[in-house]
Amino acid sequence: MFRRISTELSLIYSSLFAAVLAAIAAAVYLAVDSNSRDVVGAEMSVSSAVFDRLWRLQATQLADTAELASRDFGFRMAVATDDQPTMISAMENLADRAGLDAAFVVLPDGELIGSEDATAGVEIGRLAETLLEDPETSGVMTISGAPYQAVAKPVLAPALIGWVVLGKQLGASTLTELEQFSALPLNARLYIQTAGAWREVASDDVRTVRLAGAELAERAFTAPDQAFFDIPENNSIGGVKTLQPFGNSSNAALVLEYSLEQNQAHYRDLLTAILLIGVIGFCVLLGGSWLVSGRVTRPLQSLSEAADALANGKLQRVDVVGRNEIAVLASNFNQMSDEITTREKQISFLAEHDPETGLPNRLVLQRRLDALRRREPGNRIFAIAIGLDRFVQTRSAIGYEQSAELVRQVAARTQEVSSDLVVGRLTTDVLGAVFVADEESRARDLAARLAEIFESPVSIGRDRVDAHPSFGIACEAQERPAGLSLLECAEVAISQARALKTPVAVFEAARYGNPSETLSLMSSLIGGLGRGELSLAHQPKLDVATNEIVSVESLIRWRHPERGFIRPDHFIGMAEETGHIRPLTDWVIDQAIRDQRELRKLGHDLKFSVNISGRVIVDPAFAEGAIERIRRAQASICFEITETAVIDDGDRAIDIMKSLSDAGIEISIDDYGSGLSSLSYLRMIPAKELKIDRMFIEDVDSSKSDALLVRSTTNLAHGLGMSVTAEGIERVETLECLRAMGVDTIQGYLIGRPMPVPELLEFLVARSETAATAVRR
């Protein structure tokens, strides 16, 4: 919000001062208001007590006067003999002497005797009821709508012969007298309730009451314990005194009101002085804050400018005199600037060099490649990658420090070939360089010279280590797959060189393939599982001894809606490399269980064999899921596993195969002899079946060596308690030869091709019918 901290500090200090001043003023005002209310309340209590005393005194005077009149013998005789002129004369004389406003006699029959002015407006019915209930009642009586303080005394001779009622009107004079007796300038008002509404009595006249007073009068009867009330409309305090009605006469109340403005006027000078002092102090503080904040912010401004310069890569020192916190901050800033500069140099070095060897990294090589592109034609720019074969094993043998030195020595030897080469480390076991050559043959010659150099071991201290590098070359002019840089093409060429078992290879895009297509194919594969694009084809396996079909091998087939039939050897390997082999294998097992259940319903109980990849046989979660599904379906399933599947993690694979075997899932060693056959693994694998690879079966009837290997393998498997299955049988001669060697089961096109369940069912029915016909003959 603020562009300058001095402005902000000045405003903050001033705001705080103003807030404190406002709090003080509010506290003073509240204290004055509270004190005013307390004083007013106490004075109003005194005024209320004065009124009570005046009221009782006047009531006593009226009662004494009425008592004397009621006991006068002549008056009693006049009442007893119903001498009305005498009674009227007596009442008028009494009113004149005592200064009364009303004086009359009430006879037991309800007749009023008195002057016409005194008796006019008296409700005789209500009055008679009141006197019969209480002959000596007193209180406020309403006559012709005006309030009177009235008392009644019975006339006895000796029986009750009437009542004397005396009254004095309550008007402006009464209220003025009360106001004069109060120490406060009170405003006294009298209210009576007629026809359900409160009315104010003033100057002997009756007029409509003010709203606040009416509410206070009403409240006096509904909540008599609340002696005083705030009157917000008038900024005053009101006190209410209820007056006892004369029997069932109208309610009456006295309202005492005092304006707080009059009381608070005495404190206005004090409040004005406080406000004036506050304004002067605020101005002084504002100016002082501006000056002080300026001294504080000038060094901070220097620090800000230095920080901006540092952000733009320029070192700027800040000089601040003194020992205060800002001076310490400036000193720390200068130290931080120096350290940042040092760290920037270190970061720049680490960003461009391999932290382990100190060699330039891929970023440096890429920058050099960009520089060459700006000044050289594309057909003369080459990249070479140097891959250290079996580097992980070498590092495990000689240690990380020595292996880092090996990488540095390889880079040094490479740079000795050409001073123009800048060698950098691309990955853990790959070095790289970019250079200019007239043609591809010159680049090959460079790689050949490097290969010749590295025929001799590399010296590391007193030891000598064979580097065994492979070289990959890529040319800028070559067409590259999308997303693959020139250096990455050279790295790929290393893998191509190793695959071709040659020390040097030039990148070939066709051999690299299309990774995007591979990912797309794998996505289609997973989707195809749910769309029904994949199916199983089952190849029958014949028991040589009984000449019956005893099991089938379930092979996966994929017919893509756009690409047509896709060979299993094309997508299974991709699934293994991309991690999609697990869901694919789960689907094959579930589908084999469903197909087996269908054949069982039709009377054909065959064992189903499925191929299991080495990538999933080491997964305990896969094994647990497979065991649960096969157990729940009560299926007869055999897992065919190649012996090479246990080479990478043999102990775990064998443990999982044992758990599968214990759960009733048979294990078969597939393609035996095609890899690095190990007798130790053969002994440890809990297999029930051994399948001899077809490469030994094709010429077994004509090749003595193949026949010897098949016979010895058969004897070995039988000795270990395994049955032997030969696959790839296509000729009768091969079948008879294997029968003679003791092979248990055969599989191949001679028996039957892989086929879906409907065709397999027809095949089994046809064989059953053929066998039945042969028996009848």
Side-chain angles (χ1 to χ4, degrees), residues 162-217:
W163 296 269
V164 175
V165 179
L166 304 180
K168 192 170 184 179
Q169 185 174 358
L170 300 174
S173 59
T174 306
L175 300 179
T176 301
E177 183 181 3
L178 176 62
E179 291 173 353
Q180 292 174 350
F181 277 104
S182 174
L184 295 175
L186 292 176
N187 179 16
R189 301 198 299 274
L190 183 64
Y191 292 88
I192 61 173
Q193 188 179 31
T194 57
W198 286 93
R199 298 169 61 82
E200 180 181 357
V201 178
S203 302
D204 297 327
D205 295 325
V206 179
R207 57 184 177 85
T208 303
V209 304
R210 283 175 283 181
L211 177 62
E215 291 179 350
L216 291 173

Side-chain angles (χ1 to χ4, degrees), residues 228-303:
F228 301 101
F229 303 93
D230 286 333
I231 307 178
E233 296 86 344
N234 302 334
N235 188 25
S236 60
I237 295 179
V240 181
K241 181 67 178 180
T242 59
L243 303 179
Q244 180 182 353
F246 190 90
N248 296 327
S249 187
S250 300
N251 293 326
L254 175 68
V255 175
L256 302 177
E257 183 178 0
Y258 176 73
S259 175
L260 292 175
E261 292 183 359
Q262 300 179 27
N263 185 269
Q264 293 171 351
H266 305 292
Y267 299 96
R268 287 176 183 170
D269 294 340
L270 174 62
L271 294 175
T272 302
I274 293 175
L275 179 62
L276 182 61
I277 293 172
V279 171
I280 296 173
F282 179 81
C283 295
V284 172
L285 180 64
L286 183 62
S289 299
W290 180 265
L291 294 176
V292 173
S293 61
R295 294 189 58 187
V296 174
T297 56
R298 277 191 292 272
L300 293 178
Q301 182 66 29
S302 301
L303 283 170

Side-chain angles (χ1 to χ4, degrees), residues 130-446:
T130 300
L131 294 175
L132 288 174
E133 291 177 1
D134 185 3
E136 295 186 5
T137 186
S138 65
V140 177
M141 173 188 294
T142 302
I143 301 176
S144 298
Y148 287 77
Q149 183 179 10
V151 297
K153 286 295 181 176
V155 180
L156 304 175
L160 179 66
I161 58 174
W163 296 269
V164 175
V165 179
L166 304 180
K168 192 170 184 179
Q169 185 174 358
L170 300 174
S173 59
T174 306
L175 300 179
T176 301
E177 183 181 3
L178 176 62
E179 291 173 353
Q180 292 174 350
F181 277 104
S182 174
L184 295 175
L186 292 176
N187 179 16
R189 301 198 299 274
L190 183 64
Y191 292 88
I192 61 173
Q193 188 179 31
T194 57
W198 286 93
R199 298 169 61 82
E200 180 181 357
V201 178
S203 302
D204 297 327
D205 295 325
V206 179
R207 57 184 177 85
T208 303
V209 304
R210 283 175 283 181
L211 177 62
E215 291 179 350
L216 291 173
E218 179 68 27
R219 198 181 304 174
F221 284 91
T222 57
D225 294 336
Q226 299 182 15
F228 301 101
F229 303 93
D230 286 333
I231 307 178
E233 296 86 344
N234 302 334
N235 188 25
S236 60
I237 295 179
V240 181
K241 181 67 178 180
T242 59
L243 303 179
Q244 180 182 353
F246 190 90
N248 296 327
S249 187
S250 300
N251 293 326
L254 175 68
V255 175
L256 302 177
E257 183 178 0
Y258 176 73
S259 175
L260 292 175
E261 292 183 359
Q262 300 179 27
N263 185 269
Q264 293 171 351
H266 305 292
Y267 299 96
R268 287 176 183 170
D269 294 340
L270 174 62
L271 294 175
T272 302
I274 293 175
L275 179 62
L276 182 61
I277 293 172
V279 171
I280 296 173
F282 179 81
C283 295
V284 172
L285 180 64
L286 183 62
S289 299
W290 180 265
L291 294 176
V292 173
S293 61
R295 294 189 58 187
V296 174
T297 56
R298 277 191 292 272
L300 293 178
Q301 182 66 29
S302 301
L303 283 170
S304 176
E305 293 173 356
D308 290 339
L310 184 63
N312 294 325
K314 298 179 181 179
L315 180 61
Q316 178 176 328
R317 300 186 64 82
V318 180
D319 296 326
V320 177
V321 179
R323 298 181 181 180
N324 55 26
E325 292 84 349
I326 297 179
V328 174
L329 177 61
S331 176
N332 293 337
F333 177 83
N334 293 332
Q335 182 179 355
M336 178 189 69
S337 300
D338 297 337
E339 293 178 354
I340 288 176
T341 302
T342 302
R343 278 198 290 269
E344 279 187 348
K345 294 178 180 179
Q346 295 175 348
I347 292 172
S348 298
F349 180 84
L350 292 175
E352 297 177 348
H353 294 79
D354 175 53
E356 186 178 11
T357 61
L359 295 174
N361 59 13
R362 186 186 296 271
L363 177 62
V364 175
L365 295 182
Q366 187 63 47
R367 289 176 179 172
R368 178 169 173 77
L369 178 60
D370 295 338
L372 291 177
R373 285 170 177 164
R374 288 193 291 268
R375 69 171 188 263
E376 297 288 347
N379 60 349
R380 300 183 65 231
I381 301 176
F382 291 84
I384 184 170
I386 307 165
L388 305 179
D389 297 345
R390 298 183 58 80
F391 178 76
V392 175
Q393 290 80 359
T394 302
R395 184 174 60 187
S396 300
I398 67 175
Y400 279 77
E401 183 177 352
Q402 299 299 325
S403 62
E405 180 61 25
L406 172 62
V407 174
R408 284 191 289 266
Q409 291 295 333
V410 171
R413 280 197 183 187
T414 303
Q415 286 183 312
E416 290 175 359
V417 176
S418 175
S419 59
D420 293 335
L421 287 177
V422 176
V423 182
R425 193 176 191 183
L426 299 179
T427 63
T428 302
D429 58 351
V430 177
L431 300 174
V434 291
F435 60 96
V436 177
D438 295 334
E439 54 189 13
E440 183 180 310
S441 60
R442 296 292 182 90
R444 285 182 175 272
D445 291 342
L446 175 64

Side-chain angles (χ1 to χ4, degrees), residues 645-694:
V646 302
I647 291 178
D648 291 337
D649 195 350
D651 293 339
R652 177 181 293 184
I654 289 173
D655 289 341
I656 290 177
M657 284 190 281
K658 287 181 179 178
S659 65
L660 293 171
S661 178
D662 294 340
I665 301 174
E666 295 187 4
I667 304 297
S668 174
I669 301 176
D670 196 15
D671 297 336
Y672 183 78
S674 61
L676 301 174
S677 299
S678 170
L679 292 179
S680 62
Y681 281 133
L682 188 65
R683 176 177 59 85
M684 291 186 292
I685 295 176
K688 293 293 184 68
E689 179 186 50
L690 186 144
K691 296 183 70 173
I692 303 176
D693 190 77
R694 63 183 303 159

